[in-house]
Amino acid sequence: MLQLVNLSNYASDLELIHNNPVCLEAFLNHHHLDGLEMMFCDSWNPRVHKKQWIQGVHLRFWPNWLDFWRGDRAELLRQFGSDAQIEACYGALTREGWLNVYRENLRIAKMAGAKYVVFHVSQARIPELFHWQFSFSDRQIIEATVEVINELVQSIPGDMELLFENLWWPGLTLKDKELTALLLDSVKHPKAGIMLDIGHLMNTNPELKNQDAGVDYVLKIVDNLEEYKHYIHGVHLHYSLSGNYIKQSRGAAMPQKDILAAAMSHVLRIDEHLPFSSPCVKKIINCVQPTYVVHEFMYTSINDWSEKIRIQQQALQYKER
């Protein structure tokens, strides 16, 4: 089992490590981590994010993409207002152009030596994040994801694992074994699997009151996957107990000003990315036996990041040497 942390090459994350590989290496060594799950938002600088540290790459993702994939121009113009805004969002105006954005992301992942890539399986228009009345079903999103992946599969090396991540919005929630099977059985990649995001799965049950109840819920969902639980090769480890906020905010109208900022704030109040402190979390690791455990957090400083990793490793009874 490899213990990793998430990192991107956004400007804020570069500032976090002072754009300095010595700082990053010291951080990884201090916590006895095996490397990084990177998100490349720009070209890769191997001087800063060294190849020997990169185990996986989280591919770019668009929370709202299915109207674009379906070519629903009227709906896109209703949402974005102009072709320029559509292109600014997706990096292209055509399916093929958008696929090329993914292909470039995959090319960088291959260059960086990633052993796996992560692909989000979810879809929600911005107003739906607030009112929870969704335009597409889990099945529609999974079927469209299969279409996208099978267009990209030639760009994914055969020895690179393709891990699908669950979310709480419509798509792959892991609560339906048959839909999980549909995704895994339909993609034309030989090493398809699951990146089990613990906090995202907890977000599907707003009645959870504490970490231990969350662990029990996760184990129940995993058990219900039956033979497909063996496709879980990685875990994004963090927890969320945002049920009260979910229930209070469900059905809210979308704000009329600063919509993107309001949506981001809303999502982060649901998806808390907090470190497990209860040793009960070991039950998930013992059950799943993942190859990769990614301590996935939001962080305000390198000290905040370090403390969250320390708390979670202590819960796992991981002893520093």
Side-chain angles (χ1 to χ4, degrees), residues 238-259:
H238 59 95
Y239 81 86
S240 290
L241 289 169
S242 54
N244 286 338
Y245 176 75
I246 289 173
K247 288 185 281 188
Q248 290 166 10
S249 64
R250 191 183 290 253
M254 185 178 71
Q256 297 305 303
K257 295 182 179 179
D258 300 321
I259 293 170

Short mmCIF file of all heavy atoms in Angstrom, two decimals, residues 238-259:
data_model
loop_
_atom_site.label_atom_id
_atom_site.label_comp_id
_atom_site.label_asym_id
_atom_site.label_seq_id
_atom_site.Cartn_x
_atom_site.Cartn_y
_atom_site.Cartn_z
N HIS A 238 -10.59 10.88 3.39
CA HIS A 238 -11.02 12.06 4.15
C HIS A 238 -12.47 11.81 4.50
O HIS A 238 -13.08 10.85 4.03
CB HIS A 238 -10.87 13.34 3.31
CG HIS A 238 -11.65 13.33 2.03
ND1 HIS A 238 -12.90 13.87 1.90
CD2 HIS A 238 -11.37 12.79 0.82
CE1 HIS A 238 -13.35 13.70 0.67
NE2 HIS A 238 -12.44 13.03 -0.01
N TYR A 239 -13.02 12.66 5.36
CA TYR A 239 -14.43 12.46 5.68
C TYR A 239 -15.20 13.77 5.58
O TYR A 239 -14.64 14.86 5.64
CB TYR A 239 -14.61 11.85 7.08
CG TYR A 239 -14.53 12.82 8.23
CD1 TYR A 239 -15.66 13.52 8.65
CD2 TYR A 239 -13.34 13.05 8.92
CE1 TYR A 239 -15.62 14.42 9.71
CE2 TYR A 239 -13.28 13.94 9.98
CZ TYR A 239 -14.42 14.62 10.36
OH TYR A 239 -14.37 15.52 11.41
N SER A 240 -16.52 13.63 5.41
CA SER A 240 -17.45 14.76 5.45
C SER A 240 -18.66 14.35 6.27
O SER A 240 -19.18 13.24 6.10
CB SER A 240 -17.91 15.15 4.04
OG SER A 240 -16.87 15.72 3.29
N LEU A 241 -19.08 15.23 7.14
CA LEU A 241 -20.31 15.04 7.91
C LEU A 241 -21.15 16.31 7.77
O LEU A 241 -21.39 17.03 8.73
CB LEU A 241 -20.00 14.74 9.38
CG LEU A 241 -19.40 13.38 9.68
CD1 LEU A 241 -18.89 13.30 11.11
CD2 LEU A 241 -20.42 12.26 9.42
N SER A 242 -21.56 16.56 6.55
CA SER A 242 -22.23 17.82 6.22
C SER A 242 -23.73 17.65 6.07
O SER A 242 -24.39 18.47 5.43
CB SER A 242 -21.64 18.39 4.93
OG SER A 242 -21.68 17.42 3.89
N GLY A 243 -24.29 16.58 6.65
CA GLY A 243 -25.70 16.27 6.46
C GLY A 243 -26.64 17.40 6.85
O GLY A 243 -27.63 17.65 6.16
N ASN A 244 -26.36 18.07 7.97
CA ASN A 244 -27.24 19.17 8.39
C ASN A 244 -27.25 20.28 7.35
O ASN A 244 -28.32 20.82 7.02
CB ASN A 244 -26.79 19.72 9.75
CG ASN A 244 -27.13 18.77 10.88
OD1 ASN A 244 -28.02 17.93 10.76
ND2 ASN A 244 -26.42 18.91 11.99
N TYR A 245 -26.08 20.61 6.82
CA TYR A 245 -26.02 21.65 5.79
C TYR A 245 -26.76 21.20 4.53
O TYR A 245 -27.49 21.99 3.92
CB TYR A 245 -24.58 22.02 5.45
CG TYR A 245 -24.49 23.02 4.33
CD1 TYR A 245 -24.79 24.35 4.55
CD2 TYR A 245 -24.14 22.61 3.04
CE1 TYR A 245 -24.75 25.28 3.51
CE2 TYR A 245 -24.09 23.54 1.99
CZ TYR A 245 -24.39 24.87 2.24
OH TYR A 245 -24.35 25.77 1.21
N ILE A 246 -26.56 19.94 4.15
CA ILE A 246 -27.24 19.43 2.94
C ILE A 246 -28.75 19.57 3.09
O ILE A 246 -29.44 20.06 2.19
CB ILE A 246 -26.84 17.96 2.68
CG1 ILE A 246 -25.38 17.87 2.21
CG2 ILE A 246 -27.76 17.33 1.64
CD1 ILE A 246 -24.86 16.45 2.09
N LYS A 247 -29.27 19.17 4.25
CA LYS A 247 -30.73 19.21 4.45
C LYS A 247 -31.25 20.64 4.52
O LYS A 247 -32.32 20.95 4.00
CB LYS A 247 -31.08 18.44 5.71
CG LYS A 247 -30.94 16.93 5.53
CD LYS A 247 -31.40 16.14 6.73
CE LYS A 247 -30.39 16.13 7.84
NZ LYS A 247 -30.76 15.19 8.93
N GLN A 248 -30.47 21.54 5.13
CA GLN A 248 -30.90 22.93 5.26
C GLN A 248 -30.86 23.67 3.92
O GLN A 248 -31.69 24.53 3.65
CB GLN A 248 -30.02 23.65 6.28
CG GLN A 248 -30.24 23.20 7.71
CD GLN A 248 -29.13 23.67 8.64
OE1 GLN A 248 -28.28 24.48 8.27
NE2 GLN A 248 -29.14 23.17 9.86
N SER A 249 -29.86 23.32 3.09
CA SER A 249 -29.66 24.07 1.85
C SER A 249 -30.38 23.46 0.66
O SER A 249 -30.50 24.10 -0.39
CB SER A 249 -28.16 24.15 1.53
OG SER A 249 -27.62 22.85 1.28
N ARG A 250 -30.85 22.24 0.80
CA ARG A 250 -31.51 21.57 -0.34
C ARG A 250 -32.73 22.37 -0.79
O ARG A 250 -33.57 22.75 0.03
CB ARG A 250 -31.93 20.16 0.05
CG ARG A 250 -32.37 19.31 -1.13
CD ARG A 250 -32.84 17.95 -0.65
NE ARG A 250 -31.74 17.14 -0.15
CZ ARG A 250 -31.21 16.10 -0.78
NH1 ARG A 250 -31.69 15.75 -1.95
NH2 ARG A 250 -30.25 15.40 -0.23
N GLY A 251 -32.79 22.63 -2.08
CA GLY A 251 -33.92 23.39 -2.61
C GLY A 251 -33.67 24.87 -2.68
O GLY A 251 -34.55 25.63 -3.10
N ALA A 252 -32.48 25.31 -2.26
CA ALA A 252 -32.19 26.74 -2.28
C ALA A 252 -32.09 27.25 -3.70
O ALA A 252 -31.68 26.54 -4.61
CB ALA A 252 -30.87 27.01 -1.54
N ALA A 253 -32.47 28.50 -3.88
CA ALA A 253 -32.36 29.13 -5.19
C ALA A 253 -30.90 29.50 -5.45
O ALA A 253 -30.13 29.77 -4.53
CB ALA A 253 -33.24 30.37 -5.25
N MET A 254 -30.53 29.49 -6.72
CA MET A 254 -29.17 29.86 -7.07
C MET A 254 -28.97 31.36 -6.87
O MET A 254 -29.82 32.16 -7.25
CB MET A 254 -28.91 29.51 -8.54
CG MET A 254 -27.48 29.75 -8.97
SD MET A 254 -27.20 29.27 -10.69
CE MET A 254 -28.10 30.57 -11.56
N PRO A 255 -27.87 31.75 -6.23
CA PRO A 255 -27.60 33.19 -6.07
C PRO A 255 -27.54 33.88 -7.42
O PRO A 255 -27.16 33.29 -8.43
CB PRO A 255 -26.24 33.21 -5.36
CG PRO A 255 -26.11 31.87 -4.73
CD PRO A 255 -26.83 30.91 -5.62
N GLN A 256 -27.87 35.14 -7.44
CA GLN A 256 -27.90 35.90 -8.69
C GLN A 256 -26.59 36.64 -8.97
O GLN A 256 -26.37 37.13 -10.08
CB GLN A 256 -29.05 36.90 -8.66
CG GLN A 256 -30.42 36.23 -8.58
CD GLN A 256 -30.65 35.22 -9.70
OE1 GLN A 256 -30.56 35.56 -10.87
NE2 GLN A 256 -30.95 33.99 -9.34
N LYS A 257 -25.72 36.73 -7.96
CA LYS A 257 -24.44 37.41 -8.13
C LYS A 257 -23.31 36.47 -7.74
O LYS A 257 -23.48 35.59 -6.88
CB LYS A 257 -24.38 38.67 -7.26
CG LYS A 257 -25.38 39.74 -7.65
CD LYS A 257 -25.22 40.96 -6.76
CE LYS A 257 -26.19 42.06 -7.16
NZ LYS A 257 -26.05 43.26 -6.28
N ASP A 258 -22.15 36.67 -8.37
CA ASP A 258 -20.96 35.87 -8.06
C ASP A 258 -21.30 34.38 -8.02
O ASP A 258 -21.00 33.67 -7.06
CB ASP A 258 -20.34 36.31 -6.72
CG ASP A 258 -19.93 37.75 -6.72
OD1 ASP A 258 -19.41 38.21 -7.75
OD2 ASP A 258 -20.13 38.42 -5.69
N ILE A 259 -21.92 33.91 -9.10
CA ILE A 259 -22.50 32.56 -9.12
C ILE A 259 -21.42 31.50 -8.95
O ILE A 259 -21.59 30.55 -8.17
CB ILE A 259 -23.29 32.34 -10.42
CG1 ILE A 259 -24.52 33.26 -10.43
CG2 ILE A 259 -23.73 30.89 -10.56
CD1 ILE A 259 -25.24 33.30 -11.77
#
